[in-house]
């Protein structure tokens, strides 16, 4: 078979792994934009080298090897992607002015639809909800890149230590040592699974409905009651973070441009295996424009953490327009109504 014919086989065989490779690159990079670019680079490298693929491992394993080395090379010239809570500063006074730092490469969320976290997906183990939780991705950023790769390959993908050692050009003992150190750091920084609640019970879904309604009716007293006592609110690119229901309420009342009921529209979605909301803000002309994306963590007794992203480019990643007009029928597999822009 000619070289071109061999390469011609590559696309249909490799394409089924794209979403899980995207999840892998996202775990490594902490950025949905970087992860997409990295996956494109991985597929280009793999296509060029496919005629030399000897089948000594599965195609999936071979692609992961290329993806991991590609990510490690890219991370050599990049720093970690933090959230405000990871900057080392204490919680902020909600009455203080907001401090914005857009030059910081902040952590980004990723929509579940891009990485296939549904239970029916054949790559469910590699792209499970737990492995893309926002808190876990944030914690991974504090590991050195190689240690990050060790943890992901061993804990998420269940690779043998010897195989990881071969890929990284080190010893099995060094891999086991790196894994132990990585686990210790992740255990400190990332919440346990018991602390993260899936919104599956009717009362939990009702809680999220009340959360959405409190914003849309501008009922800040009702919103305050939904948070746990130690709830955290953070919103990159602003460097501050805020703890407790009173602080969160004060922050929103002092800084949100909404003035009353109807100024905000929330559209439910799913990000990082967690409930999320796209918020649209009504402008003086009455048009609802993309404003922020909220990723919500539920605790056993209420909403425990909200991370708010002020990045309009994320709306397109979630299949949402910059201008909200009216819902139609539910989007396939999301339960979220589609939208049309003023131009559609």
């Amino acid at each position: 078979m000619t070289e071109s014919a061999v390469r011609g086989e590559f696309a249909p065989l490799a394409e089924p792994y794209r979403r899980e490779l995207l999840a892998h690159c996202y775990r490594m990079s902490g950025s949905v934009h970087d992860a997409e670019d990295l996956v494109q680079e991985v597929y280009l490298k793999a296509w060029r080298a496919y005629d030399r693929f000897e089948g000594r491992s599965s195609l999936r394993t071979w692609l992961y090897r290329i993806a991991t080395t590609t990510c490690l090379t890219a991370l050599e010239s990049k720093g970690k992607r933090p959230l405000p809570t990871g900057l080392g500063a204490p919680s902020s006074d909600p009455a203080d002015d907001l401090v914005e730092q857009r030059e910081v490469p902040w952590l980004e969320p990723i929509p579940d639809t891009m990485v296939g976290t549904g239970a029916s997906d054949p790559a469910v183990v590699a792209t499970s909800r737990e492995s893309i939780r926002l808190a876990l991705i944030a914690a991974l950023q504090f590991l050195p890149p190689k240690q990050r790769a060790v943890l992901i390959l061993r804990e998420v993908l269940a690779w043998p230590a010897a195989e990881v050692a071969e890929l990284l050009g080190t010893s099995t003992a060094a891999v086991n040592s790196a894994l132990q150190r990585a686990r210790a750091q992740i255990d400190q920084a990332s919440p346990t699974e018991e602390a993260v609640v899936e919104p599956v019970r009717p009362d939990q879904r009702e809680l999220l409905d009340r959360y959405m309604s409190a914003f849309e009716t501008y009922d800040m007293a009702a919103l305050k009651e939904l948070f746990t006592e130690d709830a955290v609110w953070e919103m990159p690119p602003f460097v501050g973070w805020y703890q407790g229901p009173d602080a969160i309420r004060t922050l929103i009342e002092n800084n949100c441009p909404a003035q009353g009921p109807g100024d905000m529209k929330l559209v439910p979605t799913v990000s990082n295996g967690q409930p999320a909301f796209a918020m649209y803000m009504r402008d003086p002309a009455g048009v609802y424009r993309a404003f922020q994306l909220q990723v919500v963590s539920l605790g056993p007794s209420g909403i425990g953490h909200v991370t708010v992203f002020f990045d309009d480019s994320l709306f397109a990643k979630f299949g949402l327009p910059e201008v909200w007009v009216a819902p139609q029928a539910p989007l396939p597999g999301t339960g979220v109504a589609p939208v049309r822009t003023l131009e559609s």
Side-chain angles (χ1 to χ4, degrees), residues 19-40:
R19 288 199 296 178
E20 59 176 295
L21 289 169
L22 180 65
H24 182 60
C25 293
Y26 173 69
R27 294 185 198 101
M28 288 291 294
S29 68
S31 164
V32 62
H33 295 92
D34 286 357
E36 286 185 306
D37 291 342
L38 287 165
V39 168
Q40 287 298 104

Side-chain angles (χ1 to χ4, degrees), residues 216-231:
E216 294 186 340
T217 60
Y218 201 75
D219 189 342
M220 295 298 105
L223 180 67
K224 171 189 166 182
E225 297 303 315
L226 304 179
F227 291 104
T228 62
E229 285 303 309
D230 59 351

